[in-house]
Amino acid sequence: LEARLAGLGAMARQLVETAAVIGRSFGLDTVRAASGRSEEEAVDGLDELVARGLVRELAVPEPGYDFTHEKLRALVYEEIGLARRRLLHRRVADALARSAPGPEAAAPVAQHLRLAGDQAGAAEQHRRAGEHAASLLAHADALEHLDAALALGYPDTAGLHERIGDLRTLVGDYGGALASYESAAAHCGPEELARIEHKLGGVHQRRGEWE
């Protein structure tokens, strides 16, 4: 694999490093924007990567590419310095956010922001991804994203705990819902406390705990 990477030109090397940060598959517009190259330079560099058998073109409506082997992508990624890796993750997050500003891209944007060291930005994107998943009734994915936002220090701790409690109630995890609502009650202001205690009462009612 190292032999296949040897001899790459500077432009092709920059593009393959950017692509390795994006993931196994990547689109032309994303790799071009994140690399900072012009469209013509990006196409020329990708043609070199295809000719060397490092990536292959995908038959999709929009121009797309895929590494020929996941171990090849991993090798390129491991050889990128930490500072440059963080910079590329930030650029990829920005490119994805610009190309798809809606909540659909929030999950990959959150992942790249976390790897770029932007915990606050990643927490907000995880929250957006969680709400989007919840709107699609993918409650397990929604809980995973909201838990990640909480772990990354999302500022509205009480609101996030309350939302997690709502979702755990929906999936029948009443013990987890009680724990989340109690955490929300511990962090909220007095104006929200009655609403959260009402939700606590509702969970106890579902469990048949009449007292």
Side-chain angles (χ1 to χ4, degrees):
L1 294 177
E2 289 177 345
R4 292 170 67 181
L5 291 169
L8 280 178
M11 183 168 59
R13 183 75 192 193
Q14 182 183 9
L15 286 167
V16 78
E17 288 180 352
T18 306
V21 168
I22 296 170
R24 175 71 184 264
S25 301
F26 55 93
L28 172 61
D29 290 340
T30 304
V31 74
R32 179 197 58 75
S35 67
R37 294 288 184 172
S38 68
E39 187 172 359
E40 185 175 350
E41 289 174 330
V43 170
D44 288 343
L46 288 168
D47 284 346
E48 180 179 346
L49 296 177
V50 171
R52 286 177 172 266
L54 300 175
V55 302
R56 56 174 172 259
E57 290 186 90
L58 299 175
V60 294
E62 297 295 328
Y65 298 85
D66 182 73
F67 277 91
T68 54
H69 202 292
E70 171 57 25
K71 288 185 177 179
L72 179 62
R73 187 206 69 81
L75 176 62
V76 174
Y77 187 83
E78 290 167 4
E79 291 180 349
I80 304 172
L82 179 59
R84 178 162 181 77
R85 194 184 298 173
R86 285 193 165 197
L87 172 65
L88 287 174
H89 277 296
R90 162 61 74 179
R91 288 182 173 180
V92 171
D94 290 343
L96 290 173
R98 286 197 302 271
S99 63
E104 296 81 4
V109 170
Q111 180 71 2
H112 285 293
L113 287 178
R114 183 180 64 80
L115 293 171
D118 183 358
Q119 292 195 341
E124 170 58 23
Q125 291 301 318
H126 272 301
R127 185 201 63 78
R128 294 185 70 208
E131 293 298 346
H132 178 61
S135 72
L136 301 176
L137 304 182
H139 298 316
D141 290 342
L143 283 167
E144 185 177 340
H145 282 298
L146 295 181
D147 283 336
L150 200 60
L152 289 167
Y154 187 74
D156 185 8
T157 305
L160 209 53
H161 276 298
E162 182 182 358
R163 188 70 178 109
I164 291 171
D166 294 343
L167 292 173
R168 285 179 172 164
T169 301
L170 285 174
V171 299
D173 178 12
Y174 298 142
L178 288 174
S180 294
Y181 286 142
E182 286 166 359
S183 295
H187 290 91
C188 75
E191 62 277 9
E192 290 97 18
L193 186 57
R195 182 184 68 250
I196 294 171
E197 288 184 341
H198 181 76
K199 291 183 178 183
L200 277 165
V203 176
H204 283 297
Q205 183 177 4
R206 287 169 181 260
R207 287 161 60 109
E209 297 167 350
W210 311 120
E211 287 189 24

